[in-house]
Amino acid sequence: MSENSQFRFGAATGVGSMPGGDAREAVKTVTGTFEDFPFLPELPARGPGADMIGRTAGLLVELYARVEPSGWRLGDRPGRDTKRARSWLGEDLDALEEFTQEYEGPLKVQAVGPWTLAANLELRNGEAALSDPGACRDLAASLAEGLRLHLAEVQRRIPGAQLVLQLDEPSLTAVLRGQVKSASGYRTHRAVDRQVAEQTLRDLVGTHAGGPVVVHSCAPDVPFALLRRAGAAAVSFDFSLLTERDDDTIGEAVEGGTRLFTGVVPSAEGPLSDPAGSVMGVRTLWRRLGLSPGLLAEAVTLTPACGLAGVSPGYARTALAHCARAARSLADNPE
């Protein structure tokens, strides 16, 4: 954690997903907008295997998944859906490599975290893997190995990059509260013990020995303290969902060296305020917490509130550029 706190994150970046299906166009937009903190875009509009669950399922080692009418289900061997997921990822990495020649600096890649994966991947009986503690352990181990190989491949292609791994965990709060519905929809799966959830995440964070891990959730009530204890160097969240109840946790996170990836730009299409207006809430939070304005640039990376897969390409470009401008506004005028 201490070495991660010395890591130089960029002032702004994206969350992950982008609209459309053209990998080169998406990477060109991302690298052109965030020259000091690009990310590998995800393009779910291409179909099953490009969605967040399918894409991460394609990374698993010795576990395979296929699309059923109810969603992604674990099977015995790699099928058409796994191959498609891997092929699209290869295409995305080719585009990223093309547009990051000679790049040196932080580069973010995203994958679904173990608990959201367990809540959304089905076992052969149609129930979520979350229903079986043994399946959860197998899934986390397979994911850890798959991510290790994936990060090594990205590093091979872009040797100057300092890789930041983002784990997407939008289902984590529901998993901890026992709110994930069963296949029938009539009941919910038992809540996962918080210590088990924390240890699983800690083990996964530990596999990225070369750099920091960000955990992202655009759901309400992100468990900041648990994620900090699990070793996350940063937490990414929808800033509009924070309440004053979160103040103490946020203050402790910042003082403990955890970086905040604050989602301040709406991920639904609509008019945007001026860049200074977008970060007014962050400045207000800082004052409320009694934190030094000089800490802002050290502690905050600005992002959209969530992924941008559901918006037009024009709005996606505008929203990303707005993040970069808002970050400059925050740096120039932290007060």
Side-chain angles (χ1 to χ4, degrees):
M1 180 62 207
S2 56
E3 64 192 57
N4 283 337
S5 62
Q6 302 308 309
F7 186 92
R8 300 301 298 177
F9 290 97
T13 190
V15 171
S17 68
M18 294 282 285
D22 185 331
R24 290 185 76 256
E25 189 59 37
V27 170
K28 184 179 175 186
T29 296
V30 164
T31 54
T33 308
F34 302 118
E35 293 177 5
D36 62 351
F37 198 3
F39 63 97
L40 175 63
E42 301 158 343
L43 302 172
R46 292 182 295 197
D51 60 298
M52 60 187 262
I53 299 297
R55 186 179 181 88
T56 301
L59 296 174
L60 296 175
V61 172
E62 294 180 4
L63 285 178
Y64 311 103
R66 63 178 186 275
V67 178
E68 296 287 341
S70 54
W72 284 89
R73 183 171 295 183
L74 291 166
D76 296 324
R77 59 185 69 83
R80 181 180 63 200
D81 300 315
T82 301
K83 288 173 184 157
R84 190 189 295 126
R86 290 175 179 172
S87 169
W88 272 326
L89 181 58
E91 201 178 288
D92 296 344
L93 289 174
D94 288 345
L96 187 68
E97 187 176 3
E98 177 186 346
F99 285 98
T100 51
Q101 296 292 314
E102 312 301 319
Y103 176 72
E104 294 184 354
L107 169 70
K108 184 165 70 70
V109 297
Q110 306 81 218
V112 176
W115 294 111
T116 296
L117 203 58
N120 288 277
L121 266 184
E122 297 174 358
L123 301 172
R124 291 176 185 80
N125 65 4
E127 285 295 353
L130 189 65
S131 64
D132 181 337
C136 289
R137 284 192 295 273
D138 291 347
L139 201 51
S142 173
L143 178 61
E145 180 60 14
L147 286 174
R148 192 184 64 75
L149 295 171
H150 176 47
L151 291 165
E153 170 67 6
V154 178
Q155 194 75 74
R156 184 186 68 74
R157 288 170 176 259
I158 308 154
Q162 299 162 305
L163 298 184
V164 177
L165 171 62
Q166 176 178 304
L167 296 174
D168 291 322
E169 281 285 16
S171 301
L172 178 59
T173 300
V175 165
L176 294 171
R177 291 181 173 175
Q179 293 171 337
V180 177
K181 284 196 160 87
S182 65
S184 69
Y186 293 122
R187 59 182 186 82
T188 55
H189 295 294
R190 183 180 302 169
V192 169
D193 180 273
R194 294 179 81 87
Q195 286 183 315
V196 172
E198 184 183 318
Q199 186 60 53
T200 300
L201 284 164
R202 185 181 298 113
D203 290 345
L204 205 58
V205 166
T207 63
H208 184 32
V213 174
V214 182
V215 180
H216 167 74
S217 172
C218 45
D221 298 321
V222 175
F224 286 94
L226 183 150
L227 296 176
R228 281 183 57 220
R229 289 194 304 269
V235 180
S236 169
F237 57 97
D238 178 345
F239 187 77
S240 71
L241 297 178
L242 281 189
T243 68
E244 291 196 20
R245 274 203 323 268
D246 299 303
D247 279 8
D248 288 348
T249 316
I250 296 278
E252 285 166 15
V254 172
E255 286 171 348
T258 304
R259 195 171 182 92
L260 306 180
F261 280 45
T262 54
V264 294
V265 176
S267 50
E269 210 142 339
L272 295 173
S273 69
D274 64 294
S278 293
V279 291
M280 200 186 317
V282 180
R283 289 196 186 98
T284 302
L285 170 69
W286 233 243
R287 282 196 295 273
R288 211 164 63 224
L289 295 176
L291 294 168
S292 157
L295 251 183
L296 271 168
E298 295 300 313
V300 171
T301 292
L302 298 182
T303 71
C306 207
L308 296 170
V311 301
S312 67
Y315 180 79
R317 285 192 295 273
T318 300
L320 295 184
H322 196 84
C323 287
R325 284 199 297 274
R328 279 197 293 277
S329 164
L330 199 59
D332 293 344
N333 183 16
E335 301 286 350

